[in-house]
DNA sequence: ACCTGAACACCGTTCAAGT
DNA sequence: ACCTGAACACCGTTCAAGT
């Protein structure tokens, strides 16, 4: 009578089942530990074996939960995209009715994430994750973050603040500016401790330049 | 009578000497092959052993020419920075007396390099090269590329085209825009084949937005 | 259903030994 | 001065075998 095939390919989401052999929910624990190792060792030095060792399981165990290393890293990147999407949509509600402020603060949030989690940022945007994995990520959450940006731009278009009328072009211009700044910070190519390069004020300054233009 | 110690630590640059044991100039050959492997396999999958094998030497041989893998990759990145610096300074002489055009076309060149050599771009800006190595690179050539951009901005300041008077701020705003676009392309996060995202016109469009401003 | 541990084919790096 | 090849400590991935 009960159809058990309804949720094929999906893990049970309720946290009540503690009868799962050894580790409760090894999958989530592996992801937590992987994030630790990522922060410690960096994207190119994180190893599945190290993650397994810290979780107290054999090096083969992670393969029951992730097809390979790329899938695990992809899941980690997805977390980052989710966080980014959440924070961007929060910016919209933080400054209702002020699309210009929304745009500037979205940039600040984007750059802050890159500085708070440089290794995660490099993982998300470093181009190291296989195509197979990317597709499933972008559909879910990568698009969500960009959609938040688009919404901010559309808010501005509705308020009639922009010269240009193409939301995509405006969004791309804003994205590339802040993305460049984020990538330079997360790669260590811009010195945070320098006076000239304070993250918050620099991102606001660049946003302002983009909004008002460089030329006389 | 003849002083043979004059060129310590430097390979002879003339191509006439074929009496150097096995390989003439293994150092340069290793770099050439490393670039091939980098393009083929990507930054995270290039291996020193593979490079050595293709060069026809043992896997220990590269260590006579490079302290470790990072130093070899750093030398590769340096090549990229040299190329970028050269092309950027060419842009200045290509459009003498037109600082606005110089700025826009510098962006085009920057983005073109990222599309022509995405793996090299990811190596140069992916934050994967150790600090020790970076320092020696940046002094030489990384600064050169940024200096070319600064020169372009200073040309504009002399021509009195900018609102802002701080060359560093203007240069940073331009750099981050084009850097963001370059990184998105080289990481495969922007689709080259899409109509909306033609590289040359997109970089020019974004530069124009930055120059003239988004707001009414 | 989930985990272990041996096995395989790779790594980067070092170092005595060769020429 | 430059290269070899064994050795070491690591990888990712697979798979029979255990519970």
């Amino acid at each position: 009578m009960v159809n058990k095939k309804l949720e094929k390919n999906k893990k049970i989401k309720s946290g009540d089942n503690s009868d799962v052999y050894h580790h409760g929910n090894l999958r989530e624990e592996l992801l937590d530990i992987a994030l630790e190792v990522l922060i410690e060792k960096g994207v190119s030095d994180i190893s599945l074996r190290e993650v397994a060792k810290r979780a107290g399981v054999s090096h083969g165990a992670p393969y029951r939960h992730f097809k390979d290393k790329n899938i695990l890293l992809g899941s980690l990147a997805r977390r980052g995209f989710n966080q980014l999407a959440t924070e961007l949509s929060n910016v919209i509600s933080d400054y209702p009715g002020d699309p210009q402020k929304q745009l500037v603060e979205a940039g600040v949030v984007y750059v802050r994430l890159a500085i708070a989690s440089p290794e995660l940022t490099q993982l998300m945007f470093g181009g190291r994750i296989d195509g197979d994995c990317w597709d499933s990520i972008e559909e879910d959450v990568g698009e969500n973050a960009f959609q938040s940006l688009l919404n901010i731009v559309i808010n501005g278009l509705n308020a009639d603040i922009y010269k240009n009328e193409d939301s995509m072009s405006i969004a791309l211009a804003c994205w590339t500016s802040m993305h460049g700044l984020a990538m330079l910070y997360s790669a260590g190519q811009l010195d945070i401790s320098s006076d000239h390069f304070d993250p918050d004020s620099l991102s606001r300054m660049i946003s302002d330049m983009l909004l008002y233009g460089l030329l006389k």
Side-chain angles (χ1 to χ4, degrees), chain A:
Chain A
M1 279 161 97
V2 182
N3 187 350
K4 287 194 174 180
K5 286 187 185 173
L6 267 176
E7 299 199 299
K8 62 170 180 177
N9 267 341
K10 292 223 171 187
K11 294 266 130 195
I12 305 119
K13 280 173 188 171
S14 73
D16 289 329
N17 49 328
S18 51
D19 54 348
V20 229
Y21 199 132
H22 228 151
H23 269 91
N25 48 354
L26 185 54
R27 204 195 112 98
E28 292 307 310
E29 199 180 330
L30 285 172
L31 283 175
D32 290 339
I33 294 169
L35 186 59
E36 279 179 32
V37 179
L38 177 72
I39 290 167
E40 247 178 68
K41 310 243 187 185
V43 188
S44 48
D45 285 334
I46 184 177
S47 88
L48 232 49
R49 287 174 107 107
E50 170 78 12
V51 173
K53 193 196 288 179
R54 293 200 193 184
V57 295
S58 77
H59 59 261
Y63 287 86
R64 293 299 119 193
H65 301 276
F66 304 94
K67 205 197 95 209
D68 57 25
K69 189 183 178 184
N70 260 304
I71 298 293
L72 188 149
L73 293 181
S75 305
L76 228 47
R78 164 186 261 116
R79 284 186 170 190
F81 280 111
N82 274 326
Q83 191 186 340
L84 182 60
T86 302
E87 290 183 9
L88 286 181
S89 77
N90 282 347
V91 165
I92 298 180
S93 40
D94 282 350
Y95 304 98
D98 192 343
Q100 180 173 336
K101 186 83 175 166
Q102 285 171 354
L103 194 72
V104 173
E105 295 309 311
V108 171
V109 160
Y110 197 97
V111 172
R112 272 187 194 156
L113 179 74
I115 288 167
S117 310
E119 298 296 348
L120 184 57
T121 300
Q122 288 292 326
L123 179 65
M124 291 161 68
F125 296 109
R128 242 160 311 200
I129 297 169
D130 269 358
D132 305 344
C133 189
W134 257 129
D135 291 343
S136 66
I137 290 177
E138 268 184 304
E139 280 170 32
D140 290 16
V141 291
E143 295 289 312
N144 263 351
F146 189 69
Q147 189 59 49
S148 288
L149 174 56
L150 266 182
N151 287 339
I152 288 172
V153 172
I154 289 167
N155 287 346
L157 284 170
N158 290 338
D160 201 31
I161 66 173
Y162 296 124
K163 282 196 275 218
N164 195 318
E165 288 183 352
D166 180 18
S167 60
M168 185 61 104
S169 303
I170 298 171
L172 275 174
C174 298
W175 188 22
T176 57
S177 292
M178 292 303 112
H179 185 67
L181 191 53
M183 295 309 280
L184 287 173
Y185 273 126
S186 66
Q189 258 131 3
L190 237 43
D191 190 3
I192 297 183
S193 56
S194 161
D195 269 345
H196 228 131
F197 300 148
D198 165 59
D200 279 21
S201 55
L202 185 53
S203 62
R204 289 200 182 94
M205 196 183 73
I206 291 177
S207 285
D208 281 348
M209 285 180 169
L210 179 56
L211 286 167
Y212 294 101
L214 295 176
L215 296 180
K216 271 188 176 169

